[in-house]
Amino acid sequence: MAVKGAVLGDILGSQYEFDRPLDLDWKNVPLISGLPMGFTDDTVMTLAIKKAIVEGLDLTDTMVRIGRRYPNCGYGGRFYSWINDENHRPYNSWGNGSAMRVAFVGEHYEDYDEMQRMAEATAAVSHNHPEGIKGAVVTATCIWMARHGKTRQEIYDYVLEQYPVNKYEYSIGYSLDEIRPRYVWNESCQGSVPAAMRCFYESSDYESFIRNIYSLQCDSDTFGAIAGGVAEEFYGGFGNVDAEGILKEYLDYDLMEILLA
């Protein structure tokens, strides 16, 4: 269930979004560090999109209605205004918000073209810059590929085609060893999606995927939300990670109800 993978990635990644120690022993640190941790706007918008699709509701109205219930969950300034203004117009954003919220699209749709069209639609309500659209489409497509038995290499090749090394600073074509020394916290789709997918590509299970995220000074909750659904679908679950326990502890009743619907 890609949505569970995305939400869990958001929660686990939230510990280090702004407070990651420079000398973090990411290979051995407990998955739950004791730092403040919880769901963020990534989870709220992921589940709002799921609710809209499952119940046949208007996408924008549902995102606004659910988003307003959680005013302090970490929205970026422009998206906060988008939720709270009366006119919810797209604002040409290339931010990674379009990619962090699209997991259910990759999980839900069987038809490839329909999946990609819906991924674009979920982005375009706010993040209608070409890179914002691409981030959502690539993320949903990687989840779809993992669900349909595509290999790790096939997923990598697709992402590399979309984010080639000669055009993107953090292309999936760069190893994490190459990225770590030069990665700078980045909230763009182009700076987040390919690097998050590299965290998946170099993993061997869901836990090692999360640890790869911990290895970067990055927008870690959003990396978890972007590629967490891919990791969950590809590995068929969470291995030794107590996903159910973490989700029950950190989600409130309303969000859990949408997650399990």
Side-chain angles (χ1 to χ4, degrees), residues 99-256:
M100 74 187 190
R101 66 195 189 204
V102 77
F104 186 68
V105 174
E107 172 187 321
H108 180 71
Y109 291 94
E110 288 297 323
D111 181 78
Y112 182 87
D113 292 334
E114 186 179 15
M115 173 273 297
Q116 290 205 323
R117 286 195 297 270
M118 193 61 194
E120 180 173 347
T122 66
V125 294
S126 55
H127 292 55
N128 60 330
H129 186 281
E131 291 290 350
I133 298 290
K134 179 191 283 190
V137 171
V138 169
T139 300
T141 300
C142 288
I143 291 169
W144 186 96
M145 292 175 74
R147 283 185 57 234
H148 287 83
K150 301 299 182 182
T151 66
R152 187 191 312 271
Q153 190 63 43
E154 286 175 313
I155 295 171
Y156 169 91
D157 289 344
Y158 166 72
V159 179
L160 182 62
E161 180 182 24
Q162 300 300 312
Y163 296 101
V165 293
N166 63 332
K167 292 184 179 180
Y168 291 90
E169 183 179 9
Y170 302 124
S171 167
I172 195 173
Y174 295 112
S175 71
L176 291 179
D177 283 345
E178 292 174 302
I179 291 173
R180 283 186 195 104
R182 59 182 178 82
Y183 193 86
V184 178
W185 198 96
N186 193 303
E187 63 183 11
S188 70
C189 273
Q190 55 270 38
S192 301
V193 173
M197 295 305 173
R198 185 75 198 199
C199 290
F200 157 71
Y201 180 69
E202 291 194 24
S203 67
S204 56
D205 54 18
Y206 191 90
E207 179 176 342
S208 63
F209 155 69
I210 291 293
R211 292 189 179 280
N212 284 339
I213 293 173
Y214 290 175
S215 78
L216 295 172
Q217 291 276 2
C218 67
D219 190 358
S220 50
D221 60 323
T222 299
F223 270 47
I226 289 171
V230 184
E232 191 283 332
E233 293 286 359
F234 188 83
Y235 296 119
F238 301 100
N240 294 326
V241 179
D242 181 17
E244 298 302 325
I246 294 168
L247 293 171
K248 286 178 182 178
E249 180 173 356
Y250 288 97
L251 292 183
D252 67 16
Y253 177 84
D254 291 338
L255 294 177
M256 183 64 81

